[in-house]
Amino acid sequence: MGQIEWAMWANEQALASGLILITGGIVATAGQFTSWWFGTYSIVAGVFICLLEYPRGKRRKGSTMERCGQKYLTKVVKVLGPLSRNYYIRAVLHLGLSVPAGFLLATILGTACLAIASSIYLLAAFHGEQWTPIEPQPKPKERPQVGGTIKQPPSNPPPRPPAEARKKSSEEEAAASAGVSGGPQENPVPVVDEVV
Amino acid sequence: MGNWVENEGLSIFVILIWLGMNVFLFVWYYRFYALRRTFFYTQKLLGIALPLARAPAACLNFNCMLILLPVCRNLLSFLRGSSACCSTRIRRQLDRNLTFHKMVAWMIALHTAIHTIAHLFNVEWCVDARSNNSDPYSIALSDLGDKPNETYLNFARQRFKNPEGGLYVAVTRLAGITGIVITLCLILIITSSTKTIRRSYFELFWYTHHLFVIFFIGLAIHGAERIVRGQTPQSLDKHHHEICEKKISEWGKIEECPIPQFSGNPPMTWKWIVGPMFLYLCERLVRFWRSQQKVVITKVVTHPFKTIELQMKKKGFKMEVGQYIFVKCPKVSRLEWHPFTLTSAPEEDFFSIHIRIVGDWTEGLFNACGCDKQEFQDAWKLPKIAVDGPFGTASEDVFSYEVVMLVGAGIGVTPFASILKSVWYKYCNNATNLRLKKIYFYWLCRDTHAFEWFADLLQLLETQMLERNNAGFLSYNIYLTGWDESQANHFAVHHDEEKDVITGLKQKTLYGRPNWDNEFKTIASQHPNTRIGVFLCGPEALAETLSKQCISNSESGPRGVHFIFNKENF
């Protein structure tokens, strides 16, 4: 398992923990359990964690599959700087966020999951991983149109051979142009009509 | 008009039956706990949360029973083989085992959520009632069990207040501990099974998935403490709640209302899951036994662009076209098994796999086989290999059609190497007995790297077909889906030459993606009134396209042309 980037799994686990915290928090708050305000905290913490973890970081090797619509959140998460980039900080943050939810049975599952996510992030940080935002790809340079670089027609006439050569070539030209307008064209390279 | 039923009908039928069973179990057990006299007093204490916790529990029993079955590969292979008499339709259904496994897993997750939430309410209300934080009736009901000769109704016996009371119950009761542990296992299994993790870090997915062992053990003992209480039958005879409900303060004092006695439900889950657990254990034992059989590497061939071919022999190894095996190399990793499609034909006396070097394990195998060295390697230096399989995939059915379309994208062409070779052998041996009369082969590649070893095979077949004057038997089309300008210029200049510049084959390479509509219509017009098998090994998007084309180009009546779509998946 040498190539694994632990942060990928930590990210999935943290996202799941966020959702579990929200669910447990809703149960405690809506059910008006004793000390239900821990449930409210759990909802808020869960939403924050989901928003933080939603944008996937860029993998070191290979391409990363983005989550649907993550580019808007990537901009926000990027602004947080080292808080989002450094996985040591994320590990500590998640551990800290998980503690208050541990006081209620309804949210303790969220605590456990988040603590596990925190330890996987710690492992990721040991391996030197960090969160890099996935930047939108710059559009590939448009290939210039064939005629696009021609801005103005040439102002000078093309260089011409001396007078005698010109006369001979003009005779040929006349014959050739007569041929073009009249009969079939002689092609320099044989062309085969093929349906591919 | 397409023949959608032909392609999808059986799957939809199975799913509907499964969903129907889930709904039935949910409703049945909901009513069981909501309406029966046995649970009247339990319901007074817990309200709607009791049946709402027991109904998903029943569904969980059902789904946990089902989830082990689709992954018993050897069992499924056995069923596939023995259903040789049955139509290919049944066998195709067995190929969708992984999809079914995932669907059942999501259903387990859903029911776990409902079950857990309902029980959170249960615990909260039980502890409140016990710590005198509730209505007097519930408090009185919770007092039952304090005196000797009384059995309890409320499983919270200590009078701790919430939230500590709830936490205390969770960690001191078997159901609580096992519940938390197995839910955590389930969550870890799910987060490590997402597509990203599975495709990129297979080993993590595989190892974490083994938490299911803890899950099943915990599940079996989850109900052992019997804390879901109902009135005993003897007590129901003597104490009728219609009369006694309102007289709770006189229970035990008046003759018509003795103190009601309660007992817990015996655990039911083990009855559901013990069968599949046993089958799965057999499955793993079979895999282990098969892997202990000696496998000898007879030849290692390095192909360009990081591909190696391993030719092996194993006593008693029998394969069919397009099957796959799991390979373990203890020298590289003692626990990891990796799947590979067999690229040899059954008619050959060895079996082979082509391996692309993309990760840790494949690189380790590359080095262990001495591929990085230039000089000839002695046979005894080659590493020991363990092989499990072969396991069936859709390609086995190729020979039961008269006409087939084979579509391979990129590395997905490997099962078809096996098929084409086998076709060639069968054709050489006895052409008249072969039901297969025509093959349309499509190979889609992004770049020319992938051509090398497969092109050799196609060249061989091309010459063979010409020699036997049956050039029309195999019609193949190679599509280069990614090309740049310099390549395009090169092709345009060499367009007229007899052999293709990339592959050296007489058939020219085509560029861009195939126009599937055209292809299907042409084939349909050339083979009216036939069942045409369409086999794909490639990405999802292509599977959708081909599936739709199959449906829309098939005629609806029993006569007329039918395209049957088969997809490989790992």
Side-chain angles (χ1 to χ4, degrees), chain B residues 368-392:
Chain B
C369 292
C371 302
D372 45 351
K373 303 187 180 57
Q374 295 287 45
E375 66 276 358
F376 186 75
Q377 295 289 304
D378 292 317
W380 58 267
K381 282 198 194 143
L382 291 170
K384 194 169 94 120
I385 297 270
V387 159
D388 187 23
F391 299 107

Side-chain angles (χ1 to χ4, degrees), chain A:
Chain A
M1 281 209 277
Q3 275 189 352
I4 184 172
E5 282 175 55
W6 292 99
M8 303 299 304
W9 186 28
N11 171 263
E12 302 280 343
Q13 182 68 16
L15 195 58
S17 314
L19 292 170
I20 294 169
L21 278 172
I22 295 175
T23 315
I26 293 177
V27 167
T29 317
Q32 287 287 292
F33 290 179
T34 320
S35 310
W36 57 269
W37 43 89
F38 281 109
T40 323
Y41 160 81
S42 190
I43 299 175
V44 173
V47 169
F48 171 70
I49 291 167
C50 283
L51 290 175
L52 176 64
E53 296 289 341
Y54 190 74
R56 259 197 201 115
K58 195 154 172 222
R59 278 166 58 182
R60 278 188 295 197
K61 268 203 231 176
S63 60
T64 321
M65 226 163 53
E66 288 192 22
R67 290 201 178 100
C68 181
Q70 82 168 40
K71 52 184 185 210
Y72 309 107
L73 275 172
T74 311
K75 290 193 202 126
V76 176
V77 173
K78 219 170 56 166
V79 161
L80 292 170
L83 176 62
S84 60
R85 202 175 46 236
N86 187 314
Y87 284 147
Y88 282 110
I89 298 184
R90 258 200 221 203
V92 170
L93 174 71
H94 284 326
L95 197 60
L97 285 175
S98 69
V99 168
F103 286 100
L104 267 191
L105 181 61
T107 50
I108 200 168
L109 193 63
T111 304
C113 290
L114 197 55
I116 294 176
S118 160
S119 45
I120 308 174
Y121 264 127
L122 199 62
L123 192 58
F126 277 149
H127 279 86
E129 297 170 25
Q130 63 175 23
W131 188 82
T132 0
I134 301 180
E135 306 286 353
Q137 295 285 343
K139 266 198 163 135
K141 247 200 321 200
E142 300 269 340
R143 230 181 308 155
Q145 305 265 339
V146 172
T149 49
I150 299 176
K151 297 287 178 214
Q152 280 179 352
S155 45
N156 289 328
R160 288 158 161 226
E164 310 83 41
R166 229 186 298 154
K167 240 195 260 168
K168 223 198 275 178
S169 64
S170 67
E171 277 170 12
E172 281 179 6
E173 252 184 59
S177 58
V180 161
S181 48
Q185 189 189 11
E186 263 292 299
N187 284 317
V189 178
V191 169
V192 178
D193 195 6
E194 231 181 276
V195 175
V196 176

Side-chain angles (χ1 to χ4, degrees), chain B residues 37 231-241 243 256 258:
Chain B
R37 290 177 62 214
Q231 210 171 341
T232 59
Q234 301 93 321
S235 177
L236 280 171
D237 279 337
K238 299 192 209 122
H239 177 121
H240 299 270
H241 72 85
I243 311 168
E256 53 190 6

Side-chain angles (χ1 to χ4, degrees), chain B residues 262-364:
Chain B
F262 299 95
S263 66
N265 283 342
M268 291 278 289
T269 310
W270 67 271
K271 295 180 197 166
W272 291 82
I273 62 177
V274 74
M277 279 170 82
F278 175 72
L279 280 175
Y280 190 76
L281 181 65
C282 290
E283 160 77 22
R284 293 301 285 253
L285 286 174
V286 166
R287 284 190 210 174
F288 177 72
W289 177 80
R290 283 172 104 162
S291 70
Q292 293 299 102
Q293 309 302 301
K294 189 159 176 225
V295 175
V296 172
I297 302 181
T298 52
K299 198 167 169 187
V300 179
V301 183
T302 41
H303 291 280
F305 300 108
K306 303 173 90 153
T307 309
I308 60 171
E309 176 186 348
L310 286 182
Q311 292 183 6
M312 297 173 273
K313 282 200 201 204
K314 180 177 166 188
K315 196 165 154 194
F317 186 84
K318 283 201 177 37
M319 63 169 279
E320 291 185 46
V321 285
Q323 290 194 298
Y324 64 94
I325 53 172
F326 275 77
V327 174
K328 179 170 84 169
C329 185
K331 195 167 167 193
V332 177
S333 163
R334 281 156 127 237
L335 291 174
E336 293 174 31
W337 288 87
H338 293 262
F340 293 98
T341 314
L342 290 162
T343 47
S344 56
E347 289 84 1
E348 294 171 321
D349 59 356
F350 60 88
F351 61 96
S352 70
I353 52 177
H354 281 70
I355 304 174
R356 263 177 76 209
I357 314 299
V358 283
D360 274 357
W361 188 84
T362 40
E363 271 200 50

